[in-house]
Amino acid sequence: MTDDTALQRVKFYQTGTRTVGNRLLTEDDRTVQASMGRSNAITSGHRACQGCGEALGARYALDAAMRAADGRLVAVNATGCLEVFTTPFPETSWQIPWLHSVFGNAPAVATGVAAGLRMRGKTDVRVVAQGGDGGTTDIGFGCLSGMFERNDDVLYICYDNEAYMNTGVQRSSATPPTARTATTPALGDAPGNVFGTGKNMPRIAMAHNIPYVATASVSDLHDLEAKVTRAMGICGARYIHVFVPCPLGWGSASENTVLIARLAVECGLFPLFEAEHGDVVSVGKIRRRVPVDDYLRLQRRFAHLFRKGAEDRQRIEAIQRMADANITRYGLVDAEDDQ
Amino acid sequence: MTEKSRPFAITLDPGTSLQNHTGSWRSSRPVYVDRLPPCNNACPAGENIQNWLYHAEGGDYAAAWQSLIRDNPMPAVMGRVCYHTCETACNRGQLDEAVSIHAVERFLGDFAIKEGLTPVVDAPPSGKRVLVIGAGPSGLSAAYHLTRLGHAVTIREAGPMAGGMMRFGIPKYRLPRDVLDVEIDRIIGMGITLELNTRVEDIDAAFDAEGFDAVFVAVGAHLARRTEIPAHAAGRILDAVSLLRDVELGATPPQLGRRVIVYGGGNTAMDVARTAKRLGVDEAMIVYRRSRDEMPAQDFEAREAEEEGVLIHWLRTIKQIDESAFTVEKMRIDAEGRPQPTGEFETLEADTLVLALGQDVDAAFLDAVPGVQIAGDGVVEVDSQMMTGRAGLFAGGDMVPSERTVTVAIGHGKKAARNVDAWLRGGQYEKAPKAELASFENLNTWYYDDAPKRVQDQLSMVRRQSGFEEVEKGLTEDNALFEARRCLSCGNCFECDNCYGICPDNAVIKLGPGNRFSIDLDYCKGCGICATECPCGAIKMVPEIA
Amino acid sequence: MMKQIEGSQGIAEAVALCRPQVVCAYPITPQTHIVEGVGAMVKAGALQHCEFINVESEFAALSVAIGASAVGARAYTATASQGLLFMAEAVYNAAGLGLPIVMTVGNRAIGAPINIWNDHSDSMALKDAGWIQLYAETNQEAADLHIQAFRLAEELSCPVMVCVDGFILTHAFERIEIPTQPQVDAYLPPFAPVQQLDVDNPYSIGAMVGPEAFTEVRYLGHQKQIEALDVIPRIAAEFEAAFGRASGGLVRPYRVEGAETVVVALGSVNGTIKDVIDAVRDAGAAIGSITISSFRPFPLAELHGLLAGAARVVCVEKSLAPGLGGVLASNVRMALRGMAVPVYTVIAGLGGRPITRASLADVFHLAADDKLDDVTFLDLNHAVIAQQLALADRDRHSGPIAENLLKALNPGLVRAKPQDERPKP
């Protein structure tokens, strides 16, 4: 340790780069969420379940986008939990202009919104489209791909809670192997969702060569806000895939939402990275690596892997291999630490 | 757009969900708590360490110092000589390394000296007069706190200088005298009358003739303990207290010869051996009957002594002295941890033996005071209010039953002052109930960055072995700030905004800088994320009562 | 300016004159020439301040239009047949959100069997989606209806579907009067949305509405259509005043005075019907016809008045409600409440089958004698049907109907397994 640490370079180890705010940082260096003047794009009184990761992720993302757009932002929403819990007549939680059409068309509606704004000369107003994993990776996939391919000036944000939660926890193409859902019960020879299925939506987005693709997690607000801010600074089609645990669908304690999201990152199952024009340009390194067990064990959807006396090591190890593959693919662990 | 033309039901006014009070869903609610940080809990002087570090983190060293001296008037001394039990307790030690609290404290103390900061005395004068007997750490501390509480204080000190064991027990290389003098002068400068070379023999007279309303006695423990060692022809035998005192007064350097044996395993033994080394002896040895694990000295004292060339003979007792030949018997530690003789002997050569076997209290002047209970070793009994059997006569420091460290003494001074104050006002001091301890398990350490401790530089070995210059250097401002910011703020909100940011229901209200947060119970669904993700364990979930 | 152009081009030019701001297109026959025409004008700079967006499906096409309309941009798209069904969810949604989108439907049959030719099965499938549905009789009217459609849509905050018979109109070259830009600008003011996504008025559009208010929302949608019954004739009259020709409106009677038999139809077939009526009337039969221009809202009162003296009504319609008969006829019967007048359904022109004057004359004669079946399939090949029904009767598993029909019509073209080789149940 050297003594040459200039005062301004002294990090705030207490409050520094990980907590939401820091009384010692200048207003500009704090997160948007730390600000008393944040836009609260979704305000109180919404009907999300206790500990909802999506409610949190959406406010994180949209408040950051609002700051980046200087308040000139409109949002388009696919059908899903986020839509339902924010806008049941006669009350809405949204405090920004917001439009919901149907389940599968949010990216296309957003394209139209962007085009309409351009044609009306409102070029300063930016457009965000958002949906859950079902609305993104399944039913809205065609429209999303079309929006990407045309490179429309839309930031699409997917809040991934790995199943159709709004309809009662059915499998989507984002549901991980072995996860129990209403349509992949923990029964038979291959309990839960089967291995070898599912879409890697961020990679698919990258394959469109759009200017910006990123993954983010509600467990890392600074990273999430930086990515949204980055995306908002770019024109063209952009995609951010946010990991949002669902206490109801995952069978986890409501207070553990952020913890579980963090463990997903730290075990390697949910890699954090950014890509530009199809190439990965940065990755979020794992800070305290944990085995996938730590992540899986907190969720009842994986409970069948940890039955007393019959722990399903084979499947847990297969999931560990998925995590390890991510770690290798993205270089999530620095070589010297990787023991 | 008018109300009339807007489509019914499908188009809604922004933010109208505020009408939906989701607080009714809640089965438990978050409550902000201030848990007791382990450092504060461990501090014998009762310092609110977390609080002064909080100010230091922000770079407001003056505020940090003012916070610090609410409990301890001598931060510059304390940052040097305290054995910092706070750091042993520090939760950060379980994460990487404990915060170097003493180093920040010293930085703040030195900062205050450099800036000429003074304590604020804002209590109205009480009209009461208190006599403090003894100008050691306990007496100075009591005088300081009593002054801050509005009382007029006179200190009477039998010796020629104030400071007590800080001056006569702790060598200069650990506590430079200019630092000590400044901090004593600052205390006295608050309006305290200091009478040196004044031995008090008649307590009753102080009350009755002089009209003091209360007396606090803190004369310390100065009588060196001796031991019987068969000696055919004894060489030079000294006691540690006298030796250190002589060195301090510096009239004539004690003649120690070429080789010195110090007998004992406490901090004083280490200090004497290291002092002997600095006085130019060729060989400074310590003989101690137990092993390193059992020694009462601080580990760093033994380590630094050894670094400076002091040879420590563990598990040895001196059986016989013959001129310069010391017969020592090897010992072993039994199952109960006691040293047992082995019957094996060896011989050490030395010119001088210094006994560092502890000190007793000279409380003879209290013998005549009715109601005062004095034990065989001179230790004076006090009650929970630190009062002796004589009403209005309080005692503290090394002369009452306790651990004998400067920090404990300073703590006694504060405690005594509070009790004296309460007594003078006709009441009894009630200590605020202790908050629940902030344990490591209460923390969410994810949010703290890795930050290795800043190490204090040390004087070069050559200079350590040849003079009394201070061994341990202070931290630079950068490093002090760095250390302060390593504090985890255990159990106490430090306004990191986590709860405010992390609530999926926007149900945490940020009250603005310095005012922390509150929960909006209209909307809080009781999910508990704020409590889980509070880095410092300052939020607790409490069940709702139906 | 009179032009000899294809119907699609006429529509494209009329749409362009309406200054649409966002036009999105996905190709489907027979709508392609329309959007190609608009696209070319955008690309050439003839149509400015308009974005032409090639999308990946009809579902996206209407969705893009929804988005554009929701920010107050004038939005247009065109589709047909399968495409209309593929966007069905968005069709309902646009109406529910009250977005004044104009969409051309180049009417075409719906598969299976796949068929690219004209009938009205597509627009009839979406007749109750909440859109106003206008049907063009001629290419001139097709062009004119689009100009009126934007007026109508924006005045009512309701999307309008302009139905144009595929190929028969879209691909026919005729003389069309194309108005000038100043004429259209004078008739069609700029779009002033009643609601839009607006950062200064951040409303939420598209809320979830439960049982407590859903009926009211639907009632208001119905009310809007009822209101359109007044608006449509008014803007048609204004159109006539501005452009000097009659187009659109709710209904157009033809020689109904004293007519005992009144033929009712939608779209281009009315031209043929009028020819037949002329011929039959001249031969002494008391027959007339009514062209329904606005199918949604359905002009019940106007029909009621026009049919007051009729002895019978014959609905010639290009769609089939299997198991019931005629969609148009069912609607017309609503207009005859309190009148003991038989309504005959003639299903004609399915999948592009020509509707000949001779065949129409035959059914009109039968109708005049009240010898017409309730539901008549014009020019049905009874021999093929008989054969197929016989096969079906012999064996419920006779194979695909389409294949068997083809086989019956063209023996030898299709090689099927010999009947006796098929396993017996």
Side-chain angles (χ1 to χ4, degrees), chain C residues 33-63:
Chain C
H33 293 181
I34 302 170
V35 288
E36 286 165 13
V38 178
M41 282 184 269
V42 172
K43 194 112 194 198
L47 174 53
Q48 295 195 330
H49 310 295
C50 177
E51 208 159 296
F52 183 81
I53 303 172
N54 285 296
V55 296
E56 72 283 354
S57 73
E58 288 90 353
F59 177 56
L62 186 55
S63 299

Side-chain angles (χ1 to χ4, degrees), chain A:
Chain A
M1 206 43 65
T2 57
D3 285 342
D4 64 356
T5 321
L7 192 56
Q8 63 269 28
R9 281 175 45 226
V10 174
K11 287 163 85 181
F12 299 99
Y13 288 99
Q14 205 179 55
T15 59
T17 53
R18 296 181 203 282
T19 58
V20 167
N22 178 339
R23 68 194 166 93
L24 302 175
L25 288 173
T26 64
E27 201 66 47
D28 284 350
D29 291 329
R30 301 181 197 189
T31 65
V32 177
Q33 287 304 314
S35 165
M36 290 172 80
R38 72 187 186 203
S39 55
N40 279 335
I42 308 175
T43 193
S44 306
H46 62 71
R47 290 142 198 264
C49 304
Q50 289 153 323
C52 174
E54 189 173 30
L56 187 58
R59 196 188 71 227
Y60 279 0
L62 291 180
D63 283 358
M66 277 291 278
R67 181 154 92 172
D70 204 17
R72 314 286 288 172
L73 185 77
V74 298
V76 175
N77 216 123
T79 308
C81 279
L82 180 61
E83 171 260 325
V84 168
F85 73 64
T86 54
T87 58
F89 169 80
E91 297 152 359
T92 177
S93 305
W94 295 96
Q95 308 208 87
I96 60 173
W98 179 92
L99 173 66
H100 163 244
S101 177
V102 298
F103 199 177
N105 70 353
V109 172
T111 293
V113 166
L117 289 169
R118 266 195 304 278
M119 289 303 102
R120 300 202 66 209
K122 298 182 179 179
T123 47
D124 59 327
V125 180
R126 306 299 305 278
V127 184
V128 168
Q130 49 188 352
D133 51 290
T136 303
T137 69
D138 290 343
I139 196 168
F141 187 68
C143 284
L144 184 62
S145 177
M147 190 275 280
F148 285 163
E149 171 275 322
R150 292 184 302 270
N151 198 27
D152 292 325
D153 191 17
V154 172
L155 167 60
Y156 189 95
I157 303 170
C158 169
Y159 305 108
D160 181 6
N161 56 22
E162 302 193 327
Y164 290 91
M165 300 315 184
N166 191 36
T167 45
V169 197
Q170 293 84 11
R171 175 201 186 273
S172 79
S173 61
T175 302
T178 76
R180 182 196 67 188
T181 69
T183 48
T184 55
L187 302 169
D189 294 338
N193 196 23
V194 294
F195 280 91
T197 59
K199 286 180 198 172
N200 188 332
M201 198 59 214
R203 304 295 300 192
I204 294 168
M206 286 164 64
H208 289 76
N209 279 322
I210 57 175
Y212 188 74
V213 173
T215 59
S217 168
V218 286
S219 66
D220 194 337
L221 173 64
H222 288 263
D223 181 67
L224 188 155
E225 286 192 354
K227 284 166 175 171
V228 171
T229 305
R230 185 102 195 284
M232 291 298 291
I234 298 169
C235 284
R238 292 142 287 149
Y239 179 75
I240 299 180
H241 191 102
V242 184
F243 190 79
V244 291
C246 170
L248 178 82
W250 295 9
S252 55
S254 63
E255 70 265 25
N256 285 341
T257 295
V258 173
L259 170 66
I260 287 172
R262 185 155 55 235
L263 292 170
V265 172
E266 294 302 292
C267 75
L269 281 176
F270 190 80
L272 295 177
F273 64 89
E274 289 177 292
E276 291 174 6
H277 300 289
D279 294 320
V280 174
V281 293
S282 80
V283 300
K285 298 281 184 187
I286 288 176
R287 184 162 161 242
R288 297 180 185 171
R289 190 173 178 180
V290 295
V292 294
D293 304 49
D294 291 14
Y295 165 70
L296 302 171
R297 213 181 280 275
L298 293 174
Q299 306 172 51
R300 280 202 309 279
R301 64 176 173 157
F302 297 115
H304 54 92
L305 301 177
F306 299 99
R307 279 187 197 122
K308 210 174 177 187
E311 199 164 284
D312 197 341
R313 285 319 305 177
Q314 227 179 332
R315 285 186 177 81
I316 295 168
E317 277 157 22
I319 296 169
Q320 184 63 55
R321 284 194 293 276
M322 291 166 56
D324 294 346
N326 281 336
I327 288 167
T328 305
R329 180 180 205 172
Y330 295 98
L332 300 177
V333 175
D334 285 330
E336 64 264 33
D337 304 333
D338 189 11
Q339 346 254 337

